[in-house]
């Protein structure tokens, strides 16, 4: 009887340690997964890329954009993985939890709200952001790969970070795809 209990106890301990080593429910199963979006302007001209890398605690977003007017531009993840026939096909900001708009929103911001990107005099912008509000893990409720996918949008003006979206026209769009 004691040997059976030791075996069962050992098996239970092994299961707990295995779950901890795999991150349990707190770590996405797709750690290391990558996704990208090829940005294009309204005329179809290439405007850069945005890459997404899943980490154990969120997603690293790396933007390399060109062809912008100098200054700040709103930069958001939108709720639909579509850019055509025009950029409105991307829908509104990605907000799987129903949060309000703006990084300064008292109740929390949309998962798709990101800090502005800033283009230099040459129209190029480079930025790295980290967010725990989204995941590339397909099985999570805040996955960028839900039923209709997601897109990244660059706006003509800076985001106000307030409750009212005021970033202006959509000047670049890219559908987020795995790989």
């Amino acid at each position: 009887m004691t040997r059976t209990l030791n075996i069962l106890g050992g098996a239970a301990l092994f299961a707990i340690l295995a779950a901890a080593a795999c991150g349990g429910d707190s770590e996405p199963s797709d750690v290391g997964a990558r996704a990208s979006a090829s940005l294009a302007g309204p005329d179809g001209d290439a405007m850069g890329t945005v890459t997404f890398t899943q980490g154990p605690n969120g997603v690293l977003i790396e933007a390399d954009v060109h062809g912008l007017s100098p200054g700040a531009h709103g930069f958001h993840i939108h709720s639909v993985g579509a850019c055509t026939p025009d950029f409105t096909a991307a829908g509104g900001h990605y907000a799987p939890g129903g949060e309000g708009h703006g990084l300064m929103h008292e109740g929390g911001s949309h998962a798709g709200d990101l800090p502005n990107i800033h283009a230099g005099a040459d129209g190029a912008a480079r930025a790295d952001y980290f967010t725990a509000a989204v995941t590339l893990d397909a099985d999570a409720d805040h996955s960028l790969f839900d039923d209709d996918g997601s897109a990244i949008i660059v706006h003509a003006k800076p985001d106000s970070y307030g409750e009212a979206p005021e970033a202006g026209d959509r000047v670049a769009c890219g559908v987020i795809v795995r790989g």
Side-chain angles (χ1 to χ4, degrees), residues 1-178:
M1 173 91 163
T2 303
R3 182 168 183 201
T4 302
L5 289 176
N6 284 340
I7 292 171
L8 290 175
L13 180 60
F14 177 78
I16 291 168
L17 292 174
C22 293
D25 290 335
S26 64
E27 184 176 297
S29 61
D30 291 344
V31 170
R34 293 181 55 87
S36 64
S38 295
L39 296 173
D43 56 5
D45 287 347
M47 292 186 68
T49 58
V50 180
T51 59
F52 303 80
T53 305
Q54 180 68 57
N57 301 305
V59 174
L60 176 63
I61 301 170
E62 300 169 273
D64 188 1
V65 187
H66 57 271
L68 298 172
S69 60
H73 296 269
F75 183 68
H76 306 112
I77 300 168
H78 281 246
S79 63
V80 179
C83 292
T84 57
D86 60 27
F87 297 162
T88 60
H93 293 180
Y94 181 68
E99 301 84 5
H101 174 271
L103 292 175
M104 301 303 286
H105 190 277
E106 185 176 313
S109 63
H110 295 144
D113 285 338
L114 299 169
N116 293 323
I117 60 172
H118 297 267
D122 63 353
R126 174 81 181 86
D128 290 345
Y129 301 115
F130 180 84
T131 179
V134 303
T135 183
L136 304 182
D137 193 340
D139 297 328
D141 61 354
H142 60 299
S143 174
L144 295 180
F145 296 104
D146 59 8
D147 290 340
D148 58 3
S150 303
I152 195 89
I153 295 282
V154 179
H155 291 272
K157 299 189 297 187
D159 192 307
S160 67
Y161 300 140
E163 289 186 41
E166 299 175 6
D169 293 339
R170 300 172 183 201
V171 297
C173 182
V175 174
I176 301 170
V177 296
R178 289 200 181 274

